[in-house]
Amino acid sequence: MSRGAWIGVFLGVIALGLGLAVLTALATRGDGSTTTSAVTASTSPSARGPFDLPVALRSDSLALGQHRRDLLIGLAAQAGGPLEIAAVRAEDPLPAGDVKIALDGRDVESEPCGRGCSRIQASVLDGRQRVVIVRVGSASVPFRLPRRLPPSGSRVFSHARETMDALRSYRFTERLSSGQGAIFTRLDVQAPDRLRLRTNTGFRSVIIGKTRWDFLDGRWERQSFPGLDVRDVLMWSHVRSPRIVGRKPNGAQELAGFGLQPVPAWFRLTVEPSGRVSEAQMTASSHFMRHRYSAFDRGAEITPPR
């Protein structure tokens, strides 16, 4: 298996949150074999990622994110202002001078607010719908801000977490991209500590507690693993201050929010009336991911491979 494929697969595993305190990283030796090592994941304020966005950490803000290829544009807004915008190309924060912002069709001046952060002092979420367009080079990324700060989704979010954590098993598919190409993975989850995955590149892995099996060169290789709690598999489980940004005819609600774990990112969830999450998106630097969940409590038992 190529080094690029390994990196792609395990970026996905990291993003899933398989150990928010300890992540499993693969390193390729010169002879082509692999070893595993434990890496501590820091989520302290001084290690939040390649950008700053102070308003996103406030409980009274709305956070939305998008990407164009490897360009990440995310914003955070408070009622009455300010509006902050983060711009990152791959892992590199862009200076405020490289980011052009238009509000309702008119260019506006911005000021730096940290790494990759531009702030405009404009009244938003004040009773008027506003259209924000962020331009970086030839790329143009539009956002439509609602009239008011959307209602809190904390109760819906808590219900979703409790419902998903209580499941005995479920399945989901993942699309993971850094902005060019994508890796598709199918994962089966069984409480309390079992996971099985297979990517479209042919890689397969099974995790049961503190043991992991990888299918390499036509056979299964067994090795130790830091440990798995399937409650950490949900990459959106640490969203801060979610907001209800949409409602569907079937009663499902769409939530948007920002979080620092497993990496600083914007999240968007679709929560069904039952509390089950049917879809989740994560938008982070060089890490654009979509999950679709299904087979709730109908998954096959996960056993050691033979």
Side-chain angles (χ1 to χ4, degrees), residues 240-254:
R240 297 184 175 203
S241 305
R243 297 279 166 187
I244 300 173
V245 295
R247 301 177 189 271
K248 297 192 173 183
N250 68 348
Q253 300 185 76
E254 295 184 1

Side-chain angles (χ1 to χ4, degrees), residues 30-70:
D31 60 4
S33 60
T34 61
T35 59
T36 60
S37 61
V39 180
T40 300
S42 173
T43 57
S44 68
S46 61
R48 286 174 177 158
F51 61 87
D52 295 313
L53 202 67
V55 168
L57 302 179
R58 295 182 58 96
S59 61
D60 56 350
S61 66
L62 169 66
L64 303 170
Q66 298 187 53
H67 77 95
R68 296 292 184 270
R69 294 186 178 272
D70 65 346

Side-chain angles (χ1 to χ4, degrees), residues 13 23-24 50 59 143 159 247 305:
V13 173
L23 305 179
T24 297
S59 61
F143 293 86
H159 184 209
R247 301 177 189 271

Side-chain angles (χ1 to χ4, degrees), residues 293-304:
Y293 302 92
S294 63
F296 302 108
D297 282 339
R298 293 187 289 108
E301 182 178 1
I302 298 174
T303 58

Side-chain angles (χ1 to χ4, degrees), residues 257-287:
F258 182 82
L260 297 176
Q261 297 181 25
V263 293
W266 288 260
F267 297 88
R268 196 171 184 110
L269 313 178
T270 300
V271 182
E272 304 298 325
S274 64
R276 294 172 179 172
V277 175
S278 58
E279 185 171 327
Q281 296 181 56
M282 171 179 167
T283 304
S285 303
S286 291
H287 206 118

